[in-house]
Protein backbone atom coordinates (compact mmCIF):
# COMPACT_ATOMS: atom_id res chain seq x y z
CA UNK A 1 0.00 0.00 0.00
CA UNK A 2 1.37 3.42 -0.98
CA UNK A 3 1.44 5.69 2.05
CA UNK A 4 -0.06 9.17 1.81
CA UNK A 5 0.76 12.43 3.52
CA UNK A 6 -1.75 14.17 5.75
CA UNK A 7 -2.22 16.87 3.12
CA UNK A 8 -3.03 14.32 0.42
CA UNK A 9 -5.40 12.24 2.51
CA UNK A 10 -7.30 15.10 4.14
CA UNK A 11 -7.79 16.78 0.77
CA UNK A 12 -9.04 13.60 -0.91
CA UNK A 13 -11.48 12.75 1.89
CA UNK A 14 -12.86 16.30 2.06
CA UNK A 15 -13.54 16.15 -1.68
CA UNK A 16 -15.29 12.79 -1.24
CA UNK A 17 -17.45 14.20 1.57
CA UNK A 18 -18.40 17.20 -0.59
CA UNK A 19 -19.38 15.03 -3.57
CA UNK A 20 -21.64 12.82 -1.45
CA UNK A 21 -23.36 15.71 0.33
CA UNK A 22 -23.84 17.66 -2.91
CA UNK A 23 -25.69 14.66 -4.30
CA UNK A 24 -28.06 14.01 -1.39
CA UNK A 25 -29.14 17.34 0.15
CA UNK A 26 -32.32 18.58 -1.53
CA UNK A 27 -32.92 22.22 -2.42
CA UNK A 28 -34.65 24.63 -0.08
CA UNK A 29 -34.07 26.15 3.36
CA UNK A 30 -32.66 23.56 5.73
CA UNK A 31 -32.32 22.73 9.41
CA UNK A 32 -29.25 21.33 11.19
CA UNK A 33 -30.30 19.65 14.42
CA UNK A 34 -28.83 17.70 17.37
CA UNK A 35 -26.09 20.25 18.10
CA UNK A 36 -23.59 18.52 20.47
CA UNK A 37 -23.79 20.76 23.54
CA UNK A 38 -21.51 18.55 25.61
CA UNK A 39 -17.81 18.11 26.34
CA UNK A 40 -16.86 15.43 23.80
CA UNK A 41 -14.46 17.25 21.44
CA UNK A 42 -15.09 14.84 18.59
CA UNK A 43 -18.74 15.80 18.24
CA UNK A 44 -17.83 19.50 18.13
CA UNK A 45 -15.31 18.73 15.37
CA UNK A 46 -18.03 16.95 13.39
CA UNK A 47 -20.44 19.87 13.80
CA UNK A 48 -17.81 22.40 12.72
CA UNK A 49 -17.08 20.25 9.67
CA UNK A 50 -20.77 20.11 8.80
CA UNK A 51 -20.97 23.88 9.10
CA UNK A 52 -17.80 24.31 7.00
CA UNK A 53 -19.43 22.29 4.21
CA UNK A 54 -22.72 24.21 4.43
CA UNK A 55 -20.92 27.54 4.46
CA UNK A 56 -18.81 26.52 1.46
CA UNK A 57 -21.99 25.45 -0.36
CA UNK A 58 -23.92 28.64 0.42
CA UNK A 59 -26.50 26.59 2.36
CA UNK A 60 -26.32 27.94 5.91
CA UNK A 61 -29.20 26.58 8.00
CA UNK A 62 -32.41 28.53 8.51
CA UNK A 63 -32.94 26.59 11.75
CA UNK A 64 -30.44 25.31 14.32
CA UNK A 65 -31.05 23.29 17.47
CA UNK A 66 -29.72 20.90 20.04
CA UNK A 67 -32.04 18.16 21.28
CA UNK A 68 -33.01 20.20 24.34
CA UNK A 69 -34.17 23.31 22.45
CA UNK A 70 -35.67 21.67 19.36
CA UNK A 71 -39.17 22.97 18.55
CA UNK A 72 -41.23 21.17 15.90
CA UNK A 73 -43.36 24.16 14.96
CA UNK A 74 -40.44 26.59 14.82
CA UNK A 75 -38.49 24.19 12.61
CA UNK A 76 -41.39 23.86 10.17
CA UNK A 77 -41.90 27.62 10.09
CA UNK A 78 -38.22 28.23 9.31
CA UNK A 79 -37.68 25.68 6.54
CA UNK A 80 -41.09 25.12 4.93
CA UNK A 81 -40.79 21.83 3.04
CA UNK A 82 -36.98 21.94 3.13
CA UNK A 83 -34.68 19.21 4.44
CA UNK A 84 -33.68 18.41 8.01
CA UNK A 85 -30.04 17.42 8.51
CA UNK A 86 -29.26 15.39 11.63
CA UNK A 87 -25.78 15.89 13.10
CA UNK A 88 -23.46 12.95 12.44
CA UNK A 89 -21.33 10.86 14.77
CA UNK A 90 -21.48 7.45 16.40
CA UNK A 91 -24.83 7.59 18.17
CA UNK A 92 -27.16 5.71 15.80
CA UNK A 93 -28.24 2.54 17.56
CA UNK A 94 -28.56 1.36 21.13
CA UNK A 95 -25.48 2.89 22.78
CA UNK A 96 -26.82 6.46 23.05
CA UNK A 97 -30.61 6.22 23.63
CA UNK A 98 -31.33 9.96 23.84
CA UNK A 99 -30.05 10.57 20.31
CA UNK A 100 -31.83 7.52 18.92
CA UNK A 101 -35.11 8.66 20.48
CA UNK A 102 -34.69 12.10 18.90
CA UNK A 103 -34.03 10.53 15.51
CA UNK A 104 -37.19 8.45 15.83
CA UNK A 105 -39.16 11.55 16.81
CA UNK A 106 -37.99 13.42 13.71
CA UNK A 107 -38.89 10.54 11.41
CA UNK A 108 -42.36 10.14 12.93
CA UNK A 109 -43.21 13.83 13.29
CA UNK A 110 -41.71 15.38 10.15
CA UNK A 111 -43.06 13.35 7.27
CA UNK A 112 -43.03 15.45 4.14
CA UNK A 113 -39.58 16.82 5.01
CA UNK A 114 -36.57 15.05 3.48
CA UNK A 115 -34.30 13.99 6.36
CA UNK A 116 -30.58 13.43 5.83
CA UNK A 117 -28.63 11.67 8.55
CA UNK A 118 -25.08 13.03 8.35
CA UNK A 119 -22.32 10.35 8.46
CA UNK A 120 -22.83 7.87 11.30
CA UNK A 121 -21.41 4.64 12.69
CA UNK A 122 -24.19 2.16 13.53
CA UNK A 123 -24.37 -0.24 16.47
CA UNK A 124 -27.61 -2.05 17.36
CA UNK A 125 -27.26 -4.56 20.20
CA UNK A 126 -31.03 -5.18 20.27
CA UNK A 127 -32.81 -6.49 17.14
CA UNK A 128 -36.07 -4.92 18.34
CA UNK A 129 -34.47 -1.47 18.36
CA UNK A 130 -33.22 -1.98 14.81
CA UNK A 131 -36.68 -3.10 13.75
CA UNK A 132 -38.24 -0.01 15.35
CA UNK A 133 -35.86 2.26 13.43
CA UNK A 134 -36.48 0.31 10.21
CA UNK A 135 -40.26 0.82 10.53
CA UNK A 136 -39.85 4.55 11.23
CA UNK A 137 -37.61 4.92 8.17
CA UNK A 138 -40.05 2.96 5.99
CA UNK A 139 -43.04 5.00 7.14
CA UNK A 140 -41.24 8.32 6.65
CA UNK A 141 -40.24 7.53 3.08
CA UNK A 142 -37.74 10.37 2.50
CA UNK A 143 -34.79 9.40 4.68
CA UNK A 144 -31.17 9.39 3.48
CA UNK A 145 -28.60 7.63 5.65
CA UNK A 146 -24.87 8.34 5.35
CA UNK A 147 -22.55 5.84 7.04
CA UNK A 148 -18.83 5.99 7.79
CA UNK A 149 -17.67 2.37 7.44
CA UNK A 150 -18.31 -0.91 5.63
CA UNK A 151 -19.80 -2.67 8.67
CA UNK A 152 -22.39 0.08 9.14
CA UNK A 153 -23.12 0.03 5.41
CA UNK A 154 -23.74 -3.72 5.41
CA UNK A 155 -26.02 -3.49 8.45
CA UNK A 156 -27.99 -0.57 7.01
CA UNK A 157 -28.46 -2.25 3.63
CA UNK A 158 -29.74 -5.38 5.36
CA UNK A 159 -32.20 -3.63 7.69
CA UNK A 160 -33.23 -0.21 6.32
CA UNK A 161 -35.24 0.66 3.21
CA UNK A 162 -33.82 4.07 2.26
CA UNK A 163 -31.06 5.78 0.29
CA UNK A 164 -27.77 4.69 1.94
CA UNK A 165 -24.38 6.15 1.02
CA UNK A 166 -20.84 5.56 2.29
CA UNK A 167 -19.26 8.88 3.32
CA UNK A 168 -16.21 10.05 5.32
CA UNK A 169 -16.55 11.92 8.60
CA UNK A 170 -17.51 15.60 8.45
CA UNK A 171 -14.57 16.71 10.63
CA UNK A 172 -12.29 16.18 7.62
CA UNK A 173 -13.88 19.29 6.11
CA UNK A 174 -11.90 21.36 8.64
CA UNK A 175 -8.66 20.76 6.73
CA UNK A 176 -5.13 20.60 8.03
CA UNK A 177 -4.47 22.26 11.39
CA UNK A 178 -1.37 23.79 13.00
CA UNK A 179 -0.01 21.99 16.06
CA UNK A 180 1.63 23.47 19.16
CA UNK A 181 5.13 22.32 20.21
CA UNK A 182 5.07 18.96 22.02
CA UNK A 183 5.85 18.83 25.74
CA UNK A 184 5.92 15.03 26.22
CA UNK A 185 7.23 12.06 24.23
CA UNK A 186 3.81 10.36 24.06
CA UNK A 187 0.31 11.63 24.81
CA UNK A 188 -2.36 8.95 25.26
CA UNK A 189 -5.94 10.13 24.76
CA UNK A 190 -7.93 7.12 25.93
CA UNK A 191 -11.67 6.63 26.39
CA UNK A 192 -13.06 6.58 29.92
CA UNK A 193 -16.71 5.95 28.94
CA UNK A 194 -18.68 2.82 28.03
CA UNK A 195 -17.15 2.65 24.53
CA UNK A 196 -13.64 2.00 25.87
CA UNK A 197 -12.11 -1.30 24.83
CA UNK A 198 -11.53 -4.03 27.40
CA UNK A 199 -8.12 -4.31 29.05
CA UNK A 200 -5.74 -1.94 30.76
CA UNK A 201 -2.02 -1.26 31.13
CA UNK A 202 0.16 0.77 33.45
CA UNK A 203 1.49 4.02 31.99
CA UNK A 204 5.20 3.73 31.13
CA UNK A 205 7.59 6.60 31.80
CA UNK A 206 7.29 9.19 29.07
CA UNK A 207 3.55 8.70 28.53
CA UNK A 208 1.01 11.31 29.62
CA UNK A 209 -2.62 10.14 29.56
CA UNK A 210 -5.99 11.90 29.66
CA UNK A 211 -9.46 11.92 28.11
CA UNK A 212 -11.21 14.99 26.73
CA UNK A 213 -14.55 14.72 28.53
CA UNK A 214 -13.77 17.16 31.37
CA UNK A 215 -13.94 20.91 30.73
CA UNK A 216 -12.42 23.74 32.75
CA UNK A 217 -15.37 25.17 34.68
CA UNK A 218 -13.86 28.66 34.94
CA UNK A 219 -13.13 28.90 31.22
CA UNK A 220 -16.63 27.67 30.44
CA UNK A 221 -18.24 30.29 32.70
CA UNK A 222 -16.23 33.06 31.03
CA UNK A 223 -17.18 31.78 27.59
CA UNK A 224 -20.86 31.65 28.45
CA UNK A 225 -20.66 35.18 29.90
CA UNK A 226 -19.17 36.48 26.65
CA UNK A 227 -21.87 34.65 24.69
CA UNK A 228 -24.49 36.38 26.83
CA UNK A 229 -23.00 39.77 26.11
CA UNK A 230 -22.89 38.91 22.40
CA UNK A 231 -26.67 38.46 22.37
CA UNK A 232 -26.98 42.21 22.80
CA UNK A 233 -25.74 42.66 19.22
CA UNK A 234 -28.83 41.08 17.65
CA UNK A 235 -32.39 40.28 18.68
CA UNK A 236 -32.79 37.47 16.15
CA UNK A 237 -32.93 34.33 18.32
CA UNK A 238 -31.74 32.02 15.53
CA UNK A 239 -28.73 34.21 14.79
CA UNK A 240 -27.97 34.23 18.52
CA UNK A 241 -28.25 30.44 18.68
CA UNK A 242 -26.02 29.93 15.63
CA UNK A 243 -23.33 32.22 17.08
CA UNK A 244 -23.47 30.46 20.45
CA UNK A 245 -23.13 27.03 18.85
CA UNK A 246 -20.20 28.15 16.71
CA UNK A 247 -18.30 29.62 19.66
CA UNK A 248 -18.86 26.62 21.91
CA UNK A 249 -17.84 24.15 19.22
CA UNK A 250 -14.73 26.13 18.31
CA UNK A 251 -13.69 26.35 21.97
CA UNK A 252 -14.05 22.60 22.42
CA UNK A 253 -12.28 21.85 19.13
CA UNK A 254 -9.30 24.03 20.07
CA UNK A 255 -9.14 22.30 23.46
CA UNK A 256 -8.82 18.98 21.67
CA UNK A 257 -6.11 20.22 19.32
CA UNK A 258 -4.13 21.56 22.29
CA UNK A 259 -4.40 18.27 24.16
CA UNK A 260 -3.25 16.18 21.20
CA UNK A 261 -0.33 18.53 20.51
CA UNK A 262 1.09 17.60 23.95
CA UNK A 263 2.81 14.51 22.55
CA UNK A 264 5.44 13.96 19.88
CA UNK A 265 3.31 10.88 19.21
CA UNK A 266 -0.28 10.09 20.21
CA UNK A 267 -1.90 6.86 21.36
CA UNK A 268 -5.69 6.79 21.17
CA UNK A 269 -8.85 4.69 20.99
CA UNK A 270 -11.04 7.69 20.12
CA UNK A 271 -12.06 8.06 16.49
CA UNK A 272 -11.79 11.83 16.50
CA UNK A 273 -8.47 11.85 18.30
CA UNK A 274 -7.36 9.81 15.30
CA UNK A 275 -8.96 12.23 12.83
CA UNK A 276 -7.65 15.33 14.62
CA UNK A 277 -4.16 13.78 14.84
CA UNK A 278 -4.38 13.36 11.07
CA UNK A 279 -5.42 17.02 10.68
CA UNK A 280 -2.44 17.99 12.86
CA UNK A 281 -0.14 15.48 11.09
CA UNK A 282 0.90 13.90 14.41
CA UNK A 283 2.12 10.29 14.10
CA UNK A 284 -0.10 8.10 16.24
CA UNK A 285 -0.87 4.56 17.35
CA UNK A 286 -4.52 3.60 16.95
CA UNK A 287 -6.51 1.22 19.13
CA UNK A 288 -10.06 0.12 18.44
CA UNK A 289 -13.02 1.03 20.67
CA UNK A 290 -15.49 -1.43 22.22
CA UNK A 291 -17.43 -2.34 19.05
CA UNK A 292 -15.13 -1.78 16.08
CA UNK A 293 -16.04 1.79 15.12
CA UNK A 294 -12.47 3.13 15.15
CA UNK A 295 -10.86 0.27 13.25
CA UNK A 296 -13.74 0.23 10.76
CA UNK A 297 -13.25 3.90 9.93
CA UNK A 298 -9.48 3.55 9.59
CA UNK A 299 -9.85 0.47 7.41
CA UNK A 300 -12.26 2.35 5.16
CA UNK A 301 -10.59 5.75 4.82
CA UNK A 302 -7.32 6.47 6.65
CA UNK A 303 -5.32 3.25 6.77
CA UNK A 304 -2.79 4.51 4.21
CA UNK A 305 -1.78 7.59 6.26
CA UNK A 306 2.01 7.52 6.59
CA UNK A 307 1.83 8.51 10.26
CA UNK A 308 -0.59 5.78 11.32
CA UNK A 309 0.40 2.73 13.37
CA UNK A 310 -1.99 0.11 14.79
CA UNK A 311 -2.02 -1.89 18.02
CA UNK A 312 -4.38 -4.44 19.56
CA UNK A 313 -3.97 -3.47 23.23
CA UNK A 314 -2.71 -0.58 25.33
CA UNK A 315 0.59 -2.18 26.36
CA UNK A 316 1.46 -2.83 22.71
CA UNK A 317 0.41 0.70 21.77
CA UNK A 318 2.63 2.31 24.42
CA UNK A 319 5.57 0.13 23.40
CA UNK A 320 5.13 1.01 19.72
CA UNK A 321 4.79 4.72 20.37
CA UNK A 322 7.85 4.93 22.62
CA UNK A 323 9.91 2.93 20.13
CA UNK A 324 8.87 5.10 17.18
CA UNK A 325 8.95 8.54 18.79
CA UNK A 326 11.03 11.17 17.04
CA UNK A 327 14.74 10.88 17.99
CA UNK A 328 16.00 13.51 20.39
CA UNK A 329 18.79 15.87 19.36
CA UNK A 330 21.60 15.79 21.92
CA UNK A 331 24.12 18.66 21.95
CA UNK A 332 27.83 17.93 22.32
Amino acid sequence: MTKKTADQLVGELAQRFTRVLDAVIPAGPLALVDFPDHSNVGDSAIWLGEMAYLRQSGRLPAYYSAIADFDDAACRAAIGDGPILIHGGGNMGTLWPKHEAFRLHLLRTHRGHPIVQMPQSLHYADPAAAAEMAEAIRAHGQFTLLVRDARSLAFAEQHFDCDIRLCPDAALMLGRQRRDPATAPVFALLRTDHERAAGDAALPAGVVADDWLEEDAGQKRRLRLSLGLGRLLTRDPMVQRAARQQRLAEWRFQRGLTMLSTGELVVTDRLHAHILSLLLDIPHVLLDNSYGKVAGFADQWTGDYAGLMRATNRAEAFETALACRAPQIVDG
Side-chain angles (χ1 to χ4, degrees), residues 89-108:
N91 59 41
M92 188 166 181
T94 50
L95 285 173
W96 303 96
K98 180 174 71 172
H99 298 276
E100 187 76 350
F102 182 57
R103 192 175 292 109
L104 287 167
H105 169 81
L106 292 171
L107 287 165
R108 290 165 175 164

Side-chain angles (χ1 to χ4, degrees), residues 158-218:
Q158 180 181 354
H159 291 86
F160 302 144
D161 182 15
C162 61
D163 185 5
I164 304 165
R165 310 280 182 106
L166 191 61
C167 184
D169 188 84
L172 291 153
M173 290 299 296
L174 297 174
R176 289 271 286 107
Q177 301 290 313
R178 177 179 295 181
R179 64 176 297 184
D180 297 328
T183 57
V186 177
F187 178 69
L189 199 148
L190 298 170
R191 297 194 78 111
T192 54
D193 61 12
H194 60 280
E195 284 193 36
R196 64 172 292 170
D200 215 334
L203 290 180
V207 178
V208 176
D210 203 349
D211 197 0
W212 57 25
L213 297 183
E214 291 190 16
E215 297 176 332
D216 183 286

